[in-house]
Amino acid sequence: MSDDFVLDVTRIRDDARRKMAAGPVTDTYGLDKNRVIGILNDVIATEVVCWLRYTRHAISASGIDRAQVSSEFTEHAKEEMQHALRAAERVSQLGGDPDFDPASLTQRSHTDYTTPAGNDLKAMLEHNLLAERIVIASYQEIIRWLGEHDPTTRRLMESILEEEEEHADDLVDLIGV
């Protein structure tokens, strides 16, 4: 195996000086930056819709298991909002504008906003589990698409995916399937 790697630091420094306004996005960025920003804005929409659904379910839940289920929904809601904020920060780093427009959130979201009856905890759990499974599948596809082209966004999505998988596991435990 040949070790012919050569790092031209002088060229890198010169390029960096000439293109300082581009921020963290360099010529070696491997993807269409605007496409990545668009995908991340859809992730933001998905996470905000999940936050809204979990928050609504936490508040409206009733019945004998309300305290445990509501507590879990509240915890998940907080994490979903953190996911949205982290994706928004990455959009900003890439030079884009995070899209929190309420008028288009549900159209851009990968999941639905559902409102089962407050006393139907099983339906709430199932709706949230379905949403988590959708998010897991779509985020896995995003991660595969990002590949090695944008390791920072890929790592962000991987860390969000890890928490989404934990949410699904929590919901399965609560449903008892």
Side-chain angles (χ1 to χ4, degrees), residues 32-72:
D32 175 353
K33 179 180 72 159
N34 291 325
R35 180 75 176 118
V36 174
I37 289 168
I39 289 168
L40 286 172
N41 272 322
D42 290 350
V43 168
I44 292 168
T46 301
E47 295 296 332
V48 170
V49 167
C50 289
W51 171 77
L52 290 167
R53 186 183 54 257
Y54 272 124
T55 300
R56 197 258 186 203
H57 291 179
I59 292 168
S60 63
S62 64
I64 193 163
D65 295 320
R66 180 209 185 281
Q68 180 183 10
V69 172
S70 180
S71 174
E72 197 68 37

mmCIF file of all heavy atoms in Angstrom, residues 32-72:
data_model
loop_
_atom_site.group_PDB
_atom_site.id
_atom_site.type_symbol
_atom_site.label_atom_id
_atom_site.label_comp_id
_atom_site.label_asym_id
_atom_site.label_seq_id
_atom_site.Cartn_x
_atom_site.Cartn_y
_atom_site.Cartn_z
ATOM 1 N N ASP A 32 -24.553 19.513 -2.395
ATOM 2 C CA ASP A 32 -25.232 20.763 -2.714
ATOM 3 C C ASP A 32 -25.726 21.350 -1.388
ATOM 4 O O ASP A 32 -26.659 20.820 -0.776
ATOM 5 C CB ASP A 32 -26.396 20.490 -3.667
ATOM 6 C CG ASP A 32 -27.241 21.719 -3.976
ATOM 7 O OD1 ASP A 32 -27.036 22.785 -3.363
ATOM 8 O OD2 ASP A 32 -28.128 21.590 -4.845
ATOM 9 N N LYS A 33 -25.097 22.413 -0.967
ATOM 10 C CA LYS A 33 -25.391 23.019 0.334
ATOM 11 C C LYS A 33 -26.869 23.372 0.463
ATOM 12 O O LYS A 33 -27.481 23.142 1.515
ATOM 13 C CB LYS A 33 -24.515 24.259 0.513
ATOM 14 C CG LYS A 33 -24.719 24.996 1.803
ATOM 15 C CD LYS A 33 -23.819 26.198 1.889
ATOM 16 C CE LYS A 33 -24.303 27.262 0.932
ATOM 17 N NZ LYS A 33 -23.856 28.604 1.211
ATOM 18 N N ASN A 34 -27.465 23.913 -0.601
ATOM 19 C CA ASN A 34 -28.875 24.306 -0.537
ATOM 20 C C ASN A 34 -29.792 23.098 -0.391
ATOM 21 O O ASN A 34 -30.827 23.181 0.271
ATOM 22 C CB ASN A 34 -29.249 25.143 -1.757
ATOM 23 C CG ASN A 34 -28.567 26.495 -1.717
ATOM 24 O OD1 ASN A 34 -28.372 27.088 -0.662
ATOM 25 N ND2 ASN A 34 -28.156 26.967 -2.880
ATOM 26 N N ARG A 35 -29.414 21.969 -0.972
ATOM 27 C CA ARG A 35 -30.207 20.739 -0.812
ATOM 28 C C ARG A 35 -30.139 20.263 0.637
ATOM 29 O O ARG A 35 -31.142 19.866 1.207
ATOM 30 C CB ARG A 35 -29.678 19.670 -1.774
ATOM 31 C CG ARG A 35 -30.408 18.370 -1.688
ATOM 32 C CD ARG A 35 -31.775 18.459 -2.359
ATOM 33 N NE ARG A 35 -32.405 17.153 -2.324
ATOM 34 C CZ ARG A 35 -33.553 16.900 -1.689
ATOM 35 N NH1 ARG A 35 -34.216 17.856 -1.099
ATOM 36 N NH2 ARG A 35 -34.039 15.687 -1.679
ATOM 37 N N VAL A 36 -28.951 20.316 1.226
ATOM 38 C CA VAL A 36 -28.801 19.910 2.630
ATOM 39 C C VAL A 36 -29.620 20.838 3.525
ATOM 40 O O VAL A 36 -30.319 20.379 4.436
ATOM 41 C CB VAL A 36 -27.312 19.894 3.049
ATOM 42 C CG1 VAL A 36 -27.164 19.611 4.542
ATOM 43 C CG2 VAL A 36 -26.538 18.869 2.236
ATOM 44 N N ILE A 37 -29.572 22.131 3.259
ATOM 45 C CA ILE A 37 -30.360 23.092 4.039
ATOM 46 C C ILE A 37 -31.849 22.773 3.921
ATOM 47 O O ILE A 37 -32.579 22.782 4.919
ATOM 48 C CB ILE A 37 -30.046 24.537 3.596
ATOM 49 C CG1 ILE A 37 -28.630 24.925 4.053
ATOM 50 C CG2 ILE A 37 -31.084 25.526 4.122
ATOM 51 C CD1 ILE A 37 -28.097 26.209 3.428
ATOM 52 N N GLY A 38 -32.317 22.457 2.710
ATOM 53 C CA GLY A 38 -33.723 22.102 2.520
ATOM 54 C C GLY A 38 -34.114 20.866 3.306
ATOM 55 O O GLY A 38 -35.176 20.822 3.943
ATOM 56 N N ILE A 39 -33.259 19.852 3.285
ATOM 57 C CA ILE A 39 -33.528 18.623 4.034
ATOM 58 C C ILE A 39 -33.551 18.917 5.531
ATOM 59 O O ILE A 39 -34.435 18.442 6.254
ATOM 60 C CB ILE A 39 -32.490 17.546 3.675
ATOM 61 C CG1 ILE A 39 -32.740 17.058 2.244
ATOM 62 C CG2 ILE A 39 -32.502 16.397 4.675
ATOM 63 C CD1 ILE A 39 -31.634 16.208 1.670
ATOM 64 N N LEU A 40 -32.598 19.710 6.007
ATOM 65 C CA LEU A 40 -32.568 20.054 7.431
ATOM 66 C C LEU A 40 -33.786 20.886 7.828
ATOM 67 O O LEU A 40 -34.302 20.742 8.940
ATOM 68 C CB LEU A 40 -31.275 20.788 7.786
ATOM 69 C CG LEU A 40 -30.027 19.918 7.833
ATOM 70 C CD1 LEU A 40 -28.783 20.778 8.006
ATOM 71 C CD2 LEU A 40 -30.122 18.874 8.940
ATOM 72 N N ASN A 41 -34.273 21.741 6.941
ATOM 73 C CA ASN A 41 -35.486 22.491 7.255
ATOM 74 C C ASN A 41 -36.694 21.570 7.357
ATOM 75 O O ASN A 41 -37.593 21.807 8.174
ATOM 76 C CB ASN A 41 -35.707 23.627 6.247
ATOM 77 C CG ASN A 41 -35.000 24.893 6.662
ATOM 78 O OD1 ASN A 41 -34.937 25.230 7.850
ATOM 79 N ND2 ASN A 41 -34.447 25.603 5.699
ATOM 80 N N ASP A 42 -36.718 20.488 6.576
ATOM 81 C CA ASP A 42 -37.780 19.489 6.735
ATOM 82 C C ASP A 42 -37.619 18.738 8.055
ATOM 83 O O ASP A 42 -38.614 18.383 8.700
ATOM 84 C CB ASP A 42 -37.773 18.510 5.562
ATOM 85 C CG ASP A 42 -38.234 19.157 4.261
ATOM 86 O OD1 ASP A 42 -38.744 20.299 4.286
ATOM 87 O OD2 ASP A 42 -38.072 18.507 3.201
ATOM 88 N N VAL A 43 -36.381 18.503 8.470
ATOM 89 C CA VAL A 43 -36.131 17.890 9.781
ATOM 90 C C VAL A 43 -36.641 18.816 10.879
ATOM 91 O O VAL A 43 -37.289 18.364 11.832
ATOM 92 C CB VAL A 43 -34.624 17.567 9.965
ATOM 93 C CG1 VAL A 43 -34.306 17.209 11.417
ATOM 94 C CG2 VAL A 43 -34.200 16.443 9.023
ATOM 95 N N ILE A 44 -36.381 20.112 10.754
ATOM 96 C CA ILE A 44 -36.887 21.076 11.733
ATOM 97 C C ILE A 44 -38.404 20.981 11.817
ATOM 98 O O ILE A 44 -38.976 20.894 12.917
ATOM 99 C CB ILE A 44 -36.448 22.517 11.374
ATOM 100 C CG1 ILE A 44 -34.940 22.682 11.547
ATOM 101 C CG2 ILE A 44 -37.212 23.550 12.220
ATOM 102 C CD1 ILE A 44 -34.383 23.963 10.939
ATOM 103 N N ALA A 45 -39.071 20.971 10.671
ATOM 104 C CA ALA A 45 -40.537 20.880 10.647
ATOM 105 C C ALA A 45 -41.000 19.597 11.328
ATOM 106 O O ALA A 45 -41.951 19.611 12.132
ATOM 107 C CB ALA A 45 -41.049 20.952 9.214
ATOM 108 N N THR A 46 -40.334 18.495 11.030
ATOM 109 C CA THR A 46 -40.697 17.202 11.624
ATOM 110 C C THR A 46 -40.558 17.245 13.137
ATOM 111 O O THR A 46 -41.450 16.815 13.874
ATOM 112 C CB THR A 46 -39.802 16.084 11.029
ATOM 113 O OG1 THR A 46 -39.987 16.058 9.615
ATOM 114 C CG2 THR A 46 -40.114 14.737 11.640
ATOM 115 N N GLU A 47 -39.457 17.787 13.611
ATOM 116 C CA GLU A 47 -39.203 17.832 15.051
ATOM 117 C C GLU A 47 -40.187 18.770 15.765
ATOM 118 O O GLU A 47 -40.638 18.469 16.871
ATOM 119 C CB GLU A 47 -37.758 18.231 15.318
ATOM 120 C CG GLU A 47 -36.732 17.220 14.822
ATOM 121 C CD GLU A 47 -36.809 15.867 15.512
ATOM 122 O OE1 GLU A 47 -37.245 15.794 16.676
ATOM 123 O OE2 GLU A 47 -36.411 14.869 14.876
ATOM 124 N N VAL A 48 -40.528 19.891 15.145
ATOM 125 C CA VAL A 48 -41.489 20.815 15.765
ATOM 126 C C VAL A 48 -42.871 20.167 15.824
ATOM 127 O O VAL A 48 -43.562 20.260 16.843
ATOM 128 C CB VAL A 48 -41.521 22.175 15.026
ATOM 129 C CG1 VAL A 48 -42.684 23.030 15.517
ATOM 130 C CG2 VAL A 48 -40.200 22.914 15.212
ATOM 131 N N VAL A 49 -43.282 19.479 14.759
ATOM 132 C CA VAL A 49 -44.574 18.787 14.780
ATOM 133 C C VAL A 49 -44.570 17.699 15.855
ATOM 134 O O VAL A 49 -45.555 17.538 16.585
ATOM 135 C CB VAL A 49 -44.934 18.233 13.382
ATOM 136 C CG1 VAL A 49 -46.102 17.255 13.448
ATOM 137 C CG2 VAL A 49 -45.247 19.381 12.430
ATOM 138 N N CYS A 50 -43.460 16.972 15.990
ATOM 139 C CA CYS A 50 -43.362 15.968 17.055
ATOM 140 C C CYS A 50 -43.435 16.621 18.429
ATOM 141 O O CYS A 50 -44.096 16.099 19.332
ATOM 142 C CB CYS A 50 -42.073 15.154 16.906
ATOM 143 S SG CYS A 50 -42.081 14.020 15.504
ATOM 144 N N TRP A 51 -42.773 17.764 18.592
ATOM 145 C CA TRP A 51 -42.847 18.498 19.859
ATOM 146 C C TRP A 51 -44.297 18.891 20.147
ATOM 147 O O TRP A 51 -44.778 18.716 21.274
ATOM 148 C CB TRP A 51 -41.954 19.737 19.806
ATOM 149 C CG TRP A 51 -42.148 20.634 20.980
ATOM 150 C CD1 TRP A 51 -41.662 20.464 22.243
ATOM 151 C CD2 TRP A 51 -42.908 21.852 21.021
ATOM 152 N NE1 TRP A 51 -42.067 21.487 23.067
ATOM 153 C CE2 TRP A 51 -42.829 22.351 22.330
ATOM 154 C CE3 TRP A 51 -43.640 22.547 20.065
ATOM 155 C CZ2 TRP A 51 -43.480 23.525 22.708
ATOM 156 C CZ3 TRP A 51 -44.274 23.712 20.438
ATOM 157 C CH2 TRP A 51 -44.189 24.191 21.749
ATOM 158 N N LEU A 52 -44.983 19.414 19.152
ATOM 159 C CA LEU A 52 -46.381 19.820 19.339
ATOM 160 C C LEU A 52 -47.261 18.632 19.717
ATOM 161 O O LEU A 52 -48.082 18.725 20.638
ATOM 162 C CB LEU A 52 -46.915 20.480 18.061
ATOM 163 C CG LEU A 52 -46.354 21.851 17.725
ATOM 164 C CD1 LEU A 52 -46.720 22.238 16.288
ATOM 165 C CD2 LEU A 52 -46.844 22.894 18.716
ATOM 166 N N ARG A 53 -47.095 17.513 19.011
ATOM 167 C CA ARG A 53 -47.916 16.332 19.281
ATOM 168 C C ARG A 53 -47.654 15.803 20.691
ATOM 169 O O ARG A 53 -48.576 15.553 21.462
ATOM 170 C CB ARG A 53 -47.642 15.246 18.225
ATOM 171 C CG ARG A 53 -48.562 14.034 18.342
ATOM 172 C CD ARG A 53 -48.247 12.918 17.353
ATOM 173 N NE ARG A 53 -46.852 12.527 17.444
ATOM 174 C CZ ARG A 53 -45.913 12.882 16.578
ATOM 175 N NH1 ARG A 53 -46.197 13.619 15.535
ATOM 176 N NH2 ARG A 53 -44.662 12.494 16.756
ATOM 177 N N TYR A 54 -46.366 15.634 21.040
ATOM 178 C CA TYR A 54 -46.043 15.135 22.378
ATOM 179 C C TYR A 54 -46.549 16.092 23.460
ATOM 180 O O TYR A 54 -47.062 15.653 24.498
ATOM 181 C CB TYR A 54 -44.527 14.955 22.539
ATOM 182 C CG TYR A 54 -43.996 13.620 22.118
ATOM 183 C CD1 TYR A 54 -42.992 13.533 21.155
ATOM 184 C CD2 TYR A 54 -44.444 12.435 22.701
ATOM 185 C CE1 TYR A 54 -42.458 12.303 20.775
ATOM 186 C CE2 TYR A 54 -43.920 11.205 22.327
ATOM 187 C CZ TYR A 54 -42.935 11.144 21.359
ATOM 188 O OH TYR A 54 -42.414 9.937 21.002
ATOM 189 N N THR A 55 -46.402 17.386 23.243
ATOM 190 C CA THR A 55 -46.854 18.363 24.232
ATOM 191 C C THR A 55 -48.368 18.284 24.414
ATOM 192 O O THR A 55 -48.869 18.264 25.535
ATOM 193 C CB THR A 55 -46.423 19.785 23.819
ATOM 194 O OG1 THR A 55 -44.999 19.812 23.738
ATOM 195 C CG2 THR A 55 -46.896 20.825 24.821
ATOM 196 N N ARG A 56 -49.085 18.234 23.308
ATOM 197 C CA ARG A 56 -50.543 18.138 23.380
ATOM 198 C C ARG A 56 -50.957 16.864 24.101
ATOM 199 O O ARG A 56 -51.838 16.857 24.955
ATOM 200 C CB ARG A 56 -51.136 18.183 21.974
ATOM 201 C CG ARG A 56 -52.625 18.492 21.973
ATOM 202 C CD ARG A 56 -53.424 17.263 21.752
ATOM 203 N NE ARG A 56 -54.840 17.602 21.611
ATOM 204 C CZ ARG A 56 -55.769 16.715 21.853
ATOM 205 N NH1 ARG A 56 -55.464 15.508 22.264
ATOM 206 N NH2 ARG A 56 -57.035 17.037 21.696
ATOM 207 N N HIS A 57 -50.324 15.750 23.780
ATOM 208 C CA HIS A 57 -50.668 14.481 24.408
ATOM 209 C C HIS A 57 -50.332 14.505 25.899
ATOM 210 O O HIS A 57 -51.102 13.984 26.715
ATOM 211 C CB HIS A 57 -49.953 13.329 23.717
ATOM 212 C CG HIS A 57 -50.441 13.071 22.325
ATOM 213 N ND1 HIS A 57 -49.899 12.077 21.539
ATOM 214 C CD2 HIS A 57 -51.390 13.667 21.555
ATOM 215 C CE1 HIS A 57 -50.513 12.065 20.360
ATOM 216 N NE2 HIS A 57 -51.412 13.029 20.350
ATOM 217 N N ALA A 58 -49.215 15.118 26.267
ATOM 218 C CA ALA A 58 -48.837 15.196 27.686
ATOM 219 C C ALA A 58 -49.868 15.985 28.481
ATOM 220 O O ALA A 58 -50.200 15.623 29.612
ATOM 221 C CB ALA A 58 -47.459 15.838 27.830
ATOM 222 N N ILE A 59 -50.370 17.046 27.893
ATOM 223 C CA ILE A 59 -51.330 17.906 28.590
ATOM 224 C C ILE A 59 -52.719 17.286 28.630
ATOM 225 O O ILE A 59 -53.420 17.380 29.644
ATOM 226 C CB ILE A 59 -51.369 19.302 27.930
ATOM 227 C CG1 ILE A 59 -50.038 20.015 28.178
ATOM 228 C CG2 ILE A 59 -52.542 20.132 28.441
ATOM 229 C CD1 ILE A 59 -49.830 21.256 27.348
ATOM 230 N N SER A 60 -53.137 16.640 27.554
ATOM 231 C CA SER A 60 -54.513 16.141 27.478
ATOM 232 C C SER A 60 -54.689 14.724 28.001
ATOM 233 O O SER A 60 -55.823 14.274 28.162
ATOM 234 C CB SER A 60 -55.026 16.233 26.039
ATOM 235 O OG SER A 60 -54.275 15.407 25.186
ATOM 236 N N ALA A 61 -53.599 14.021 28.273
ATOM 237 C CA ALA A 61 -53.702 12.643 28.754
ATOM 238 C C ALA A 61 -54.491 12.574 30.057
ATOM 239 O O ALA A 61 -54.357 13.435 30.920
ATOM 240 C CB ALA A 61 -52.307 12.054 28.959
ATOM 241 N N SER A 62 -55.308 11.541 30.164
ATOM 242 C CA SER A 62 -56.064 11.321 31.402
ATOM 243 C C SER A 62 -56.173 9.822 31.635
ATOM 244 O O SER A 62 -55.877 9.020 30.760
ATOM 245 C CB SER A 62 -57.455 11.959 31.298
ATOM 246 O OG SER A 62 -58.209 11.336 30.281
ATOM 247 N N GLY A 63 -56.573 9.465 32.809
ATOM 248 C CA GLY A 63 -56.737 8.055 33.135
ATOM 249 C C GLY A 63 -55.754 7.615 34.196
ATOM 250 O O GLY A 63 -54.907 8.392 34.663
ATOM 251 N N ILE A 64 -55.845 6.360 34.546
ATOM 252 C CA ILE A 64 -55.092 5.823 35.676
ATOM 253 C C ILE A 64 -53.573 5.875 35.449
ATOM 254 O O ILE A 64 -52.815 6.052 36.399
ATOM 255 C CB ILE A 64 -55.563 4.391 35.997
ATOM 256 C CG1 ILE A 64 -55.019 3.969 37.361
ATOM 257 C CG2 ILE A 64 -55.185 3.420 34.907
ATOM 258 C CD1 ILE A 64 -55.722 2.778 37.959
ATOM 259 N N ASP A 65 -53.119 5.731 34.213
ATOM 260 C CA ASP A 65 -51.680 5.750 33.914
ATOM 261 C C ASP A 65 -51.201 7.108 33.431
ATOM 262 O O ASP A 65 -50.099 7.237 32.907
ATOM 263 C CB ASP A 65 -51.344 4.695 32.857
ATOM 264 C CG ASP A 65 -51.581 3.282 33.354
ATOM 265 O OD1 ASP A 65 -51.266 3.015 34.533
ATOM 266 O OD2 ASP A 65 -52.084 2.457 32.567
ATOM 267 N N ARG A 66 -52.018 8.141 33.610
ATOM 268 C CA ARG A 66 -51.723 9.469 33.098
ATOM 269 C C ARG A 66 -50.361 9.983 33.537
ATOM 270 O O ARG A 66 -49.603 10.491 32.724
ATOM 271 C CB ARG A 66 -52.801 10.468 33.530
ATOM 272 C CG ARG A 66 -52.498 11.858 33.009
ATOM 273 C CD ARG A 66 -53.050 12.968 33.914
ATOM 274 N NE ARG A 66 -52.837 14.268 33.315
ATOM 275 C CZ ARG A 66 -51.678 14.927 33.329
ATOM 276 N NH1 ARG A 66 -50.624 14.402 33.892
ATOM 277 N NH2 ARG A 66 -51.558 16.111 32.773
ATOM 278 N N ALA A 67 -50.041 9.883 34.814
ATOM 279 C CA ALA A 67 -48.804 10.480 35.335
ATOM 280 C C ALA A 67 -47.572 9.918 34.625
ATOM 281 O O ALA A 67 -46.706 10.676 34.176
ATOM 282 C CB ALA A 67 -48.700 10.263 36.842
ATOM 283 N N GLN A 68 -47.507 8.609 34.499
ATOM 284 C CA GLN A 68 -46.337 7.982 33.876
ATOM 285 C C GLN A 68 -46.258 8.325 32.391
ATOM 286 O O GLN A 68 -45.201 8.712 31.893
ATOM 287 C CB GLN A 68 -46.387 6.464 34.057
ATOM 288 C CG GLN A 68 -45.202 5.758 33.430
ATOM 289 C CD GLN A 68 -45.297 4.242 33.541
ATOM 290 O OE1 GLN A 68 -46.313 3.694 33.927
ATOM 291 N NE2 GLN A 68 -44.218 3.563 33.196
ATOM 292 N N VAL A 69 -47.375 8.219 31.689
ATOM 293 C CA VAL A 69 -47.390 8.472 30.250
ATOM 294 C C VAL A 69 -47.136 9.948 29.960
ATOM 295 O O VAL A 69 -46.338 10.306 29.095
ATOM 296 C CB VAL A 69 -48.716 7.983 29.620
ATOM 297 C CG1 VAL A 69 -48.824 8.408 28.173
ATOM 298 C CG2 VAL A 69 -48.831 6.461 29.753
ATOM 299 N N SER A 70 -47.797 10.818 30.700
ATOM 300 C CA SER A 70 -47.626 12.257 30.505
ATOM 301 C C SER A 70 -46.176 12.673 30.756
ATOM 302 O O SER A 70 -45.618 13.488 30.019
ATOM 303 C CB SER A 70 -48.568 13.033 31.423
ATOM 304 O OG SER A 70 -48.403 14.406 31.241
ATOM 305 N N SER A 71 -45.572 12.106 31.773
ATOM 306 C CA SER A 71 -44.169 12.409 32.078
ATOM 307 C C SER A 71 -43.258 12.002 30.921
ATOM 308 O O SER A 71 -42.345 12.749 30.540
ATOM 309 C CB SER A 71 -43.761 11.699 33.369
ATOM 310 O OG SER A 71 -42.393 11.863 33.613
ATOM 311 N N GLU A 72 -43.510 10.837 30.362
ATOM 312 C CA GLU A 72 -42.704 10.366 29.227
ATOM 313 C C GLU A 72 -42.912 11.268 28.009
ATOM 314 O O GLU A 72 -41.954 11.643 27.328
ATOM 315 C CB GLU A 72 -43.063 8.919 28.877
ATOM 316 C CG GLU A 72 -42.043 8.236 28.014
ATOM 317 C CD GLU A 72 -40.720 7.996 28.728
ATOM 318 O OE1 GLU A 72 -40.690 7.681 29.931
ATOM 319 O OE2 GLU A 72 -39.681 8.135 28.054
#
